[in-house]
Each structure stands twice: as structure tokens, then as C-alpha cells.
Amino acid sequence: MKLGRVRSVAISGVEGIVVEIEASIGQGLPGVHLVGLGDAALKEAKDRVRAAITNTASASKGSGDEAGGGAEKWPEGRITLALSPATLPKAGSIFDLGLALAVLAANTDKPSRLLEKSVFIGELALDGRLRPVRGVLPAVVAARKAGFAYVVVPLANVAEAALVSGIDVGGASHLREVLGWLRGVTVLDTVCEAVERAPVPVSPDLSDVVGQDEARYAMEIAAAGAHHLLLTGPPGIGKTMLARRLPGILPPLGESEALEVTAIHSIAGGLPEHHPLVTEAPFIAPHHSTTVTAMIGGGTGMAKPGAVSRAHRGVLFLDECAELGVKVLETLRTPLEDGEVRVARRDGVARFPARFQLVLAANPCPCAPANDVDCVCSPTARRRYLGKLSGPLMDRVDIRVRMDPPGNAALTAGAAESSADVRQRVIAARSAARERWSGQGWQTNSEVPGSVLRRGHFRLPPGTTRPIELFLRDGRITARGADRALRLAWTLADLAGVGEPSEDHVAQALMFRDRGYN
């Protein structure tokens, strides 16, 4: 009995797990048996792998290509392919290349020593070509953590794999090239094909928005502290226009944040081929007809990331939020509080990071006239329309702004302040917050637990927090709302460039929480 062993990587959530692929060639009727909790795509791999090996060997023999190893052929006998850990569910075509090399290693007397030091990732076409796959970035990170020296990926995934330092990356376009590399007669490419990179999209500028000074200031506060925001007002007032300009005033992602966001988009299949690294805050705006699965993630087998995870470290914008289903809106409550989403499916529980900044936009009523006095909706209809935004959900929204139609003078005024100017103030405020919370590992004020702000070194004097005590006594805010008001007050202080919030900052924070939603 002959045995071949190769390593690949399985994706679970946003993490990679190294998988050992074993091929055993024994006596018996010819056939291929694959075990290891594979999905439908993986069970079909045995047909793809057999065709790829057969066609590669035939083409190499016909052309006399020594690197391809024309002597390789599909072995006769009973072939058993096993992927371990056997209890780990495995999905997709990412294992094709590893399966092919395991079969060939079992069919030779002297397998290459490079097999023990390498991880192989890629989907095989029937003629042996290597096709790109999803999740390459977390797979390469897992290979590096496991101590492997090399990782081989399809050529189209090289740019993504090369984002990970500390491991040698080789790209191949055909199974023949990988076999030649294992023999030491060829060198794998380490760069992508020479294709012009697509330019990074530029966010629209905030200077386009005129006549909404309060809403613009609220956007700046929200950006400085990563606070959640609700914009209400009649249609055409500029709610969507403002929200789409929020990414333009957010600071660029740090190195670790960029890799984290890129890994999520890699699994979701949303990375451009030749410009894979996500360096700017993502902006995700699902349609109001979206489902619970599309919002938080899901699917058959192991769950895939949803909109809340693709918006990680960026903005999740829900336009016409009052038109969304109640169940869809209520699923946001846990991610808003925990910064992650846990989705249970048949093959296990997937954990995806979901520390996003929520921006809601809604009309005040179903008829939504330009002037509120022209509304024909009954009081019951108005309450029912925004009643989908439940109290527990709105308690997690820090800033609420009611936008009114601008006057004629505002529309004819000159250009307002640009996104670049606002962004500089936001970056300075976030730097102050990051320096303050660096010892605890938090990046923004919105991540700080309320207990930290109420006790110890960061507790504010009783005179400063007096407005919060009055709101609590009158029942106008909850205990969670009080904590969120404190976080917002610290952000206002950072924008003002002072060391800690004053009573005016606390009162202003409460004012932003107490209006715009009625």
C-alpha cells in the first residue's frame, strides 16, 4: 500500500485551519473514495483531480516537457483520500491542488521533500489550470502560524497571498508548473501578471452638502468616536447624500485593521484581483428588502459573512430603515453591543467580527411630504411607521438628528468645508482617544465599557455628570443610554482638544440622544 501526504487549509469563519490530505493506493477495484466531512463541491473534486492529472500527463508527454513529469499518470487501484481533522467540516474547491499532489506523491517512490514544508491552495480545471479561490489571505495566515515555509496558490491570488509576511509565496497557473517546482527544475512566480491596477475609488466630498450645519457636525462627531447615527427628515433633504460622505472623513485603516477587513472580503469574494488590500473604511449599503441571512451572514453548511461583517471597521448604511423587516432590524442589536456576530449552522458556529458604524436614514412618516404641515398620515400611522425602530435598538444609537429643509440663502451660499479639512480633525480626535485607551486595547470611545467611565481614573466629577443624573431620574434615558452619553461626551472633548469632558459636553451629548426621533 502506497501513501502520500500533503497539507492544505480549510476556512472556518474568518480563520484558517491547516488540513492534512492523505492519499492511499491499495488493491481492489479501481475507484476513488473521499472521506473527511466534505461538501458537494469537495466530493466532486475527485473527478476534477483525475481529469487534471490525466490531461497534464498527456500534454507533458506529447510535448516532451520534463518539468511536467510526463511519467505521472492516474494510478490504478483503489484510491482513498482522507482530509483531517476528520470532524472538521470542509467546503469548497480550495483543496483540489492538494488532493492532486497527494495522489501523485502516493504513486511515486521518492516524493519531494518540499511537500512537508509547503501548503497548497487552489482549484483545478479539467486541463490542469489553476483557478483562483476565496479565503486565500486567512489561509496563508494559518499556514504561517503553523510554521510552514512555503505556500503555493493560483497566480491570480498571489497579490492577496503576498500581503502576509514571514512565508514564501509562489504562484502557479498550471499543475505542470507546481510539479516542476517540486522537482526543483522551475521557479514559481511571485508577482501577478502585469495588469494595470484599478484606481482606488474616491469618496464624494462633504463640501457638496450645504445648509445642513447641524447634520454635518453630527457626522463629524460620529466619525470621531465611531458612534451610531440616525438621520430623519423628508425625502430629498440630503440624508443619503450625507451618509455616503462619511467614509471620506474616516481615518484610513491601520495595518492590522486592513488585514482583518481584507480577510473578511476575501472570504466573501469581494476583493479585486490586482488591488486586494482594503485600506479605506468599507461602506456597505444593503437594500431595504434584504433578509436576515444577508444582513448577519448564513447559508448552508458553514455560514458566510453578511453585511454587518463586510462593514467591519467601516460604515453600514441602512437607507429607508423604516421599510426593513422588524426581524432584520432586531438582529443588529447583538452585533452593535458585542462587535461580533455568531451564526450557528449545520456544520458549526461561525464567528465573524462586526464592529461597524451604523447609520440609519428614515422619513418621518409614510407620505413624507416636503413640508411636515402637509402630512396626511394619522398619528397612529406615524407612530407605526417609525415603530419598527424598537426602543432597545434605538437605545444603542448615540446620535439622532432631525434634518429640516434648508433656506434659500443656504442653497445659494458658497462651498462648505471639504472632507479633507473635517478628516484632519477626526484623525486628531481618534489619535487622542487611541492614546488614552491604548493600555486597554480599545481604538475608539464607542468601544469603551461604561464601567470604565463610571469608576476609577476616568470617572468624571459629580458636577460634570449632573445632567445625566437628571435624565436618569426623569426616566428619559436608560442605564445603557447613560453610558453611551458618557462615551459621546468624551468624543466631544477630543474634538475640542481638552483633556476630559465638561458639563457642557455631557449636556450636548444628551441633547444629541434626545431628539430627531419623534
Side-chain angles (χ1 to χ4, degrees), residues 13 32 65 67 107 143 182 185 187 212 254 276 306 329 336 339 377 401-402 443 449 482 484 511:
V32 182
D65 186 0
N107 199 35
L182 291 173
V185 297
V187 177
Q212 296 292 349
L329 290 170
L336 286 175
C377 299
V401 178
R402 172 63 186 262
Q443 299 289 323
R484 289 188 169 272
M511 178 183 66

Side-chain angles (χ1 to χ4, degrees), residues 32-110:
V32 182
H33 303 273
L34 193 150
V35 296
L37 283 184
D39 67 346
L42 180 55
K43 292 183 183 301
E44 294 172 351
K46 56 187 180 182
D47 298 320
R48 293 194 299 271
V49 168
R50 177 169 184 167
I53 291 177
T54 302
N55 292 326
T56 298
S58 300
S60 300
K61 185 176 180 180
S63 62
D65 186 0
E66 296 181 359
E72 267 88 3
K73 64 178 182 178
W74 186 258
E76 299 294 335
R78 179 186 176 90
I79 302 175
T80 301
L81 297 170
L83 291 82
S84 60
T87 56
L88 175 70
K90 305 167 190 71
S93 57
I94 194 172
F95 306 101
D96 285 9
L97 179 58
L99 290 168
L101 294 177
V103 171
L104 295 176
N107 199 35
T108 183
D109 295 329
K110 294 182 179 180

Side-chain angles (χ1 to χ4, degrees), residues 180-361:
W181 176 72
L182 291 173
R183 287 190 177 86
V185 297
T186 61
V187 177
L188 297 181
D189 291 334
T190 56
V191 295
C192 287
E193 297 175 350
V195 178
E196 185 178 356
R197 286 188 174 185
V200 178
V202 179
S203 299
D205 201 277
L206 199 59
S207 61
D208 300 333
V209 181
V210 295
Q212 296 292 349
D213 294 340
E214 182 182 7
R216 285 171 55 96
Y217 183 48
M219 291 278 292
E220 181 176 342
I221 299 171
H227 300 288
H228 309 306
L229 173 67
L230 168 66
L231 301 172
T232 59
I237 199 82
K239 303 185 294 295
T240 303
M241 190 178 185
L242 266 173
R244 293 193 177 278
R245 282 151 179 77
L246 179 56
I249 63 176
L250 293 175
L253 299 177
E255 182 179 355
S256 61
E257 293 174 335
L259 289 175
E260 191 176 23
V261 173
T262 302
I264 297 173
H265 286 258
S266 172
I267 296 170
L271 289 180
E273 181 178 338
H274 299 286
H275 191 72
L277 185 63
V278 180
T279 57
E280 297 293 330
F283 181 83
I284 307 298
H287 191 261
H288 57 74
S289 63
T290 191
T291 63
V292 172
T293 301
M295 182 65 72
I296 67 169
T300 58
M302 184 60 73
K304 300 298 189 295
V308 296
S309 298
R310 290 186 287 115
H312 180 60
R313 298 297 179 186
V315 179
L316 177 65
F317 175 50
L318 301 183
D319 200 4
E320 304 294 347
C321 61
E323 301 292 342
L324 271 78
V326 175
K327 290 184 177 180
V328 176
L329 290 170
E330 293 305 301
T331 57
L332 298 174
R333 286 159 56 174
T334 301
L336 286 175
E337 200 70 25
D338 298 342
E340 72 170 6
V341 61
R342 298 173 292 276
V343 185
R345 285 298 183 268
R346 180 197 66 200
D347 293 339
V349 178
R351 291 174 174 264
F352 298 107
R355 193 162 294 282
F356 57 91
Q357 189 171 347
L358 178 65
V359 178
L360 303 169

Side-chain angles (χ1 to χ4, degrees), residues 48 404 495:
R48 293 194 299 271
D404 297 315
L495 282 172

